[in-house]
Amino acid sequence: VEAAAEFQTLVDNSPNYDSGYYMLGLSLVKARKAAEAEQAFSKAIEINGENFGYHHGLAKAYFDQDQHSKSVATLKTAEPLATDTKSKFALYTLRGYAYAALEAWADAAEDLENAKKIKKDGAVLSQLGKAYYGLGHNDKAVGAFREALKVRANDPASTQLLAESLINLGAKATSDSQKSTYYTEAVQYAEKFQKMK
């Protein structure tokens, strides 16, 4: 909040300072004032629309206000500006999360797979698993949740959904040995989840 006040004073004195509006927006996002942050990022873009970070900030402000369609649209517009690895990871991650919030699971999975290729982040892998789970692709969900738990071993959501995905695979298995393998592993993760909760 104090940083936001300082940056507000800065842009009041230098109204064409795009980076000042960006920093104001970041401070407001951290202070959970997303609607005000939206205005600051929009002003930064108005002054300099070629900076990917400004568009990503605006998309984050929309995301925090549950305006997920606007978040997706903003990132689609800014995609040509995401030229470095860090920017691409930020784009695919946030847009993947926004698609997931809209339950557009196929689009979410595509973006999160692209993010995964750049960096194996535990939260991204967990969200990727949820996207595959939403699509009913239990085999891919199991793979993503297993990877997520290698990075974040005590993640309750990944543990629970991994158990459920294994149960679903067991239900569809055609042989007793396959069923036994899936259900045995499912029990292990279900018991682990129970201890967490």
Side-chain angles (χ1 to χ4, degrees):
V1 174
E2 290 175 14
E6 293 289 338
F7 286 121
Q8 184 64 61
T9 300
L10 179 64
V11 296
D12 286 345
N13 293 328
S14 303
N16 292 317
Y17 186 34
D18 52 306
S19 184
Y21 284 106
Y22 173 64
M23 295 305 296
L24 172 60
L26 290 180
S27 301
L28 291 167
V29 164
K30 293 276 189 181
R32 298 186 180 183
K33 296 183 177 182
E36 293 176 43
E38 177 192 331
Q39 295 175 358
F41 290 127
S42 295
K43 185 65 177 176
I45 292 168
E46 182 184 317
I47 297 167
N48 175 15
E50 298 302 308
N51 188 309
F52 171 76
Y54 300 173
H55 293 271
H56 183 269
L58 180 60
K60 180 69 168 70
Y62 285 138
F63 186 90
D64 288 354
Q65 295 176 82
D66 295 325
Q67 297 179 21
H68 303 299
S69 294
K70 284 187 176 182
S71 185
V72 167
T74 300
L75 290 168
K76 278 187 175 180
T77 300
E79 190 163 3
L81 302 174
T83 54
D84 60 282
T85 302
K86 184 178 178 182
S87 297
K88 287 178 181 177
F89 180 78
L91 181 140
Y92 292 135
T93 300
L94 182 55
R95 194 169 66 187
Y97 275 60
Y99 276 133
L102 294 167
E103 297 187 2
W105 301 120
D107 291 321
E110 182 180 349
D111 270 347
L112 294 167
E113 279 286 1
N114 285 326
K116 173 188 158 185
K117 289 173 187 173
I118 297 169
K119 183 170 71 171
K120 291 194 175 182
D121 176 87
V124 168
L125 290 165
S126 181
Q127 189 65 63
L128 177 59
K130 290 173 189 175
Y132 283 133
Y133 185 84
L135 286 166
H137 296 169
N138 291 292
D139 53 341
K140 290 183 177 180
V142 164
F145 288 131
R146 280 179 178 152
E147 284 191 85
L149 289 171
K150 285 179 185 175
V151 181
R152 299 194 308 178
N154 296 314
D155 177 20
S158 294
T159 305
Q160 179 189 10
L161 287 172
L162 175 52
E164 292 183 15
S165 299
L166 287 163
I167 289 168
N168 292 339
L169 286 176
K172 293 177 182 177
T174 54
S175 72
D176 289 344
S177 61
Q178 281 183 313
K179 285 182 183 292
S180 177
T181 299
Y182 287 131
Y183 287 144
T184 299
E185 190 179 358
V187 167
Q188 292 170 357
Y189 285 107
E191 288 176 342
K192 183 180 177 184
F193 175 68
Q194 187 183 41
K195 288 176 184 175
M196 291 176 182
K197 292 294 183 175

